[in-house]
Amino acid sequence: MSMMFAIGFLSLLSVGFVAMAMGGEDDVSDVDQTEDMQDDLAPSTQGVGLADPGANQSLDLSDFGIEVSENIAAEDLVRINAFISELEATPTEEMASLIQEFIAELEASQEEVVEEEVSEESTEQEFEDTAEDNVEADAEEAPATYEPESEEEDVRPPMGNEFRDPLKVAEELEQQRILDEFAAEEARQPENLVTVSDKEGAEIADELVLAERDDDAPETDPSFTVTAPDAANSIEVGFDSEHTFQIHHNGQTTSVTAGLNSDIEGEDVLRTRTITNEEDETGASVRTIYWTKEYGTSTDITMEVAQDHIGTHVAQIDLTNPNDDLTFDFASDVTGNLHLVYVENEEGGEGETVAVKRAFVIQTAADVSNLSSSDIADLIASESGQTEDGSVLAEIYLGEDSLLINGEPGSGEPYEVRISNFINDEATITSSIGWSSITDHDDDITDQGAEQPSGDGMGGGEEDDIAELFEDLGLNPGFFGF
């Protein structure tokens, strides 16, 4: 717009000055008088206050019939005023060349302004196009390979994990591996594996319930011992193949959760003694001492077992309290069949009979639905609890009965009979996976004798033997619970 104004103005100005040149001296005098009058006039509102740096005051362009737009840049008005002042001092014959030079300068200046404006518009358009391209690229999956469509295309580095620097990726993976190892090692520490909580669920300090094996203790003993406090509590011990735990719970322990790396033992309750005096068939005096145990509490015991836990340790669990419940919670990756085997062995010396009852949880291949006596004997005798036929997961102690006779029954001389009945014949042992077989075997199994048929177990047979023994002694077996 400034260019059009300048050209129009200069055209009028050129015509005016040509007319003045043709008019002679008088006309020039009139112009001079007009200029003198302009010096006395107040500045116009059109181009007001724009002065030529080399002059005192600019001319009022409205006097020439030229309307100046408010959008005209101040520096253009200054240049025009300066040019007019220069024309005043220029002879008429030189005006044409001077005007032509001024027009050329204005045109050059206008071209620079136009190029700058076009450059700014191109930059803004390129930025908008690039932003749109980035949005579209984010919405699409990165291609397997990147090939520019042409040499003029804006080539950007390909994105996606497959294009990352392999060395950088390997470094990050190694750092993550180290962090994972530190975290796993931290989780394996005994103080992090063992949690003993009070009745409110708050964790009890490890130093109050956790102790490490003494230096002079056999290496076969568990590495750590967890002892329940004398208050309401629950116990959780995580699995770790390199740490073994002995867990001592008591009558105030509501639950114990552990793995095959733990041995679990309840409190040894006080025994109750009953004494009777009778006479046998020969008239000899017989003193009978009968010991029993009464459990008034119960604990829920859960063994959590995964496939990679099997074979690392054979858990030993005391289940002499008939009120306790034992559950094997197997992970989904456990394979094969699971068997529950009851075995009762008879021991003792002269005049003494001791019957010990245990149960074994055994894993076999999926095609083994039953175990023979020899298979069981081999597994029990194995130090690791593993053979080609299967693996022993846990040995469960159910207690023992004993009968001791001091003296010679039938001799007519007084004698004494001592009886203890501590076998849990009503043990509750369940599994999250159904048992493939549940069998009972007597002590012949340790000699790889003939397989015993399943049934009520040797506990019932042993009771019959003891009852017959009491009858032979002239005593009432029903009085003693047989």
Side-chain angles (χ1 to χ4, degrees):
M1 181 179 293
S2 60
M3 183 64 183
M4 294 176 62
F5 162 75
I7 293 174
F9 165 71
L10 290 176
S11 299
L12 293 175
L13 195 60
S14 298
V15 173
F17 274 100
V18 171
M20 287 188 294
M22 294 175 63
E25 294 179 358
D26 294 338
D27 295 335
V28 173
S29 176
D30 291 339
V31 173
D32 292 339
Q33 292 176 4
T34 303
E35 292 176 357
D36 293 338
M37 293 174 61
Q38 293 293 334
D39 292 340
D40 298 332
L41 294 175
S44 170
T45 57
Q46 300 290 333
V48 63
L50 294 177
D52 175 18
N56 293 329
Q57 183 69 33
S58 65
L59 296 177
D60 191 343
L61 300 181
S62 62
D63 293 342
F64 294 93
I66 300 173
E67 294 295 332
V68 181
S69 172
E70 294 180 357
N71 296 330
I72 298 301
E75 60 269 18
D76 290 340
L77 290 176
V78 171
R79 292 176 63 185
I80 293 172
N81 289 337
F83 177 69
I84 294 173
S85 300
E86 185 178 359
L87 285 179
E88 295 176 10
T90 302
T92 303
E93 62 273 12
E94 297 179 2
M95 282 186 181
S97 61
L98 185 61
I99 292 172
Q100 187 63 42
E101 291 177 0
F102 183 73
I103 293 174
E105 291 177 1
L106 288 178
E107 290 176 346
S109 174
Q110 184 66 19
E111 290 176 355
E112 292 178 358
V113 172
V114 171
E115 290 177 358
E116 182 177 355
E117 292 176 352
V118 171
S119 176
E120 292 177 355
E121 293 176 358
S122 300
T123 302
E124 294 176 357
Q125 185 62 37
E126 180 180 356
F127 177 79
E128 293 175 357
D129 294 343
T130 302
E132 293 177 358
D133 292 341
N134 289 340
V135 171
E136 294 176 357
D138 291 341
E140 299 177 357
E141 295 182 357
T145 58
Y146 185 86
E147 297 180 358
E149 295 180 358
S150 65
E151 295 180 355
E152 298 180 357
E153 184 179 353
D154 183 14
V155 179
R156 295 183 296 274
M159 306 296 288
N161 290 332
E162 64 269 29
F163 299 108
R164 297 185 61 201
D165 183 358
L167 295 178
K168 183 66 174 177
V169 173
E171 180 181 349
E172 293 177 356
L173 291 176
E174 179 63 16
Q175 291 176 352
Q176 186 60 46
R177 183 189 65 80
I178 294 174
L179 291 176
D180 292 342
E181 286 185 355
F182 276 125
E185 182 63 27
E186 181 67 17
R188 292 180 60 248
Q189 298 307 308
E191 58 271 17
N192 295 323
L193 290 172
V194 175
T195 302
V196 179
S197 305
D198 60 19
K199 65 179 180 180
E200 303 297 334
E203 184 175 354
I204 299 173
D206 291 327
E207 56 268 21
L208 300 178
V209 295
L210 181 63
E212 191 171 359
R213 179 181 60 201
D214 294 336
D215 294 337
D216 56 352
E219 293 185 0
T220 55
D221 288 356
S223 306
F224 298 89
T225 300
V226 181
T227 304
D230 292 331
N233 65 89
S234 61
I235 301 173
E236 293 185 18
V237 177
F239 177 85
D240 181 72
S241 59
E242 296 185 11
H243 297 309
T244 54
F245 295 88
Q246 177 72 56
I247 301 175
H248 291 287
H249 64 89
N250 56 30
Q252 300 188 72
T253 304
T254 58
S255 64
V256 175
T257 302
L260 298 183
N261 60 325
S262 296
D263 297 338
I264 302 175
E265 183 177 354
E267 63 179 347
D268 188 10
V269 301
L270 295 175
R271 298 183 299 172
T272 301
R273 186 180 65 174
T274 302
I275 301 176
T276 63
N277 292 287
E278 293 181 314
E279 292 183 353
D280 63 10
E281 294 178 349
T282 64
S285 175
V286 181
R287 185 171 185 263
T288 304
I289 303 175
Y290 188 56
W291 296 94
T292 58
K293 289 182 179 180
E294 294 294 336
Y295 294 88
T297 61
S298 64
T299 302
D300 293 330
I301 303 172
T302 302
M303 303 297 293
E304 296 182 337
V305 183
Q307 184 60 43
D308 58 352
H309 299 176
I310 299 174
T312 58
H313 183 72
V314 177
Q316 297 181 359
I317 305 169
D318 178 7
L319 200 64
T320 54
N321 183 354
N323 300 322
D324 292 345
D325 292 337
L326 174 60
T327 301
F328 285 85
D329 186 8
F330 292 100
S332 59
D333 63 345
V334 175
T335 61
N337 289 334
L338 298 169
H339 308 266
L340 180 60
V341 177
Y342 291 97
V343 177
E344 189 164 339
N345 292 41
E346 187 175 305
E347 305 170 356
E350 184 178 356
E352 182 181 15
T353 302
V354 179
V356 180
K357 190 172 184 178
R358 295 173 292 172
F360 296 87
V361 176
I362 299 174
Q363 181 197 43
T364 64
D367 59 350
V368 178
S369 57
N370 285 284
L371 291 168
S372 66
S373 297
S374 59
D375 293 336
I376 297 172
D378 291 341
L379 283 166
I380 294 175
S382 173
E383 182 177 353
S384 64
Q386 289 185 297
T387 68
E388 60 182 9
D389 298 316
S391 300
V392 178
L393 279 58
E395 177 183 348
I396 305 165
Y397 178 70
L398 298 175
E400 63 181 39
D401 286 341
S402 65
L403 173 63
L404 175 64
I405 300 176
N406 294 323
E408 295 183 9
S411 64
E413 298 293 328
Y415 59 93
E416 182 182 79
V417 178
R418 296 191 176 189
I419 303 170
S420 64
N421 183 12
F422 303 140
I423 287 183
N424 179 9
D425 286 318
E426 300 176 355
T428 303
I429 305 174
T430 59
S431 168
S432 61
I433 300 176
W435 303 113
S436 296
S437 68
I438 301 177
T439 56
D440 298 291
H441 304 269
D442 64 10
D443 58 324
D444 290 338
I445 197 170
T446 58
D447 299 326
Q448 300 186 20
E451 184 174 356
Q452 299 295 319
S454 59
D456 295 333
M458 287 306 299
E462 182 67 24
E463 289 180 356
D464 293 339
D465 294 340
I466 296 176
E468 292 178 2
L469 177 61
F470 274 94
E471 291 177 353
D472 293 341
L473 296 175
L475 303 176
N476 179 12
F479 177 81
F480 302 100
F482 295 99

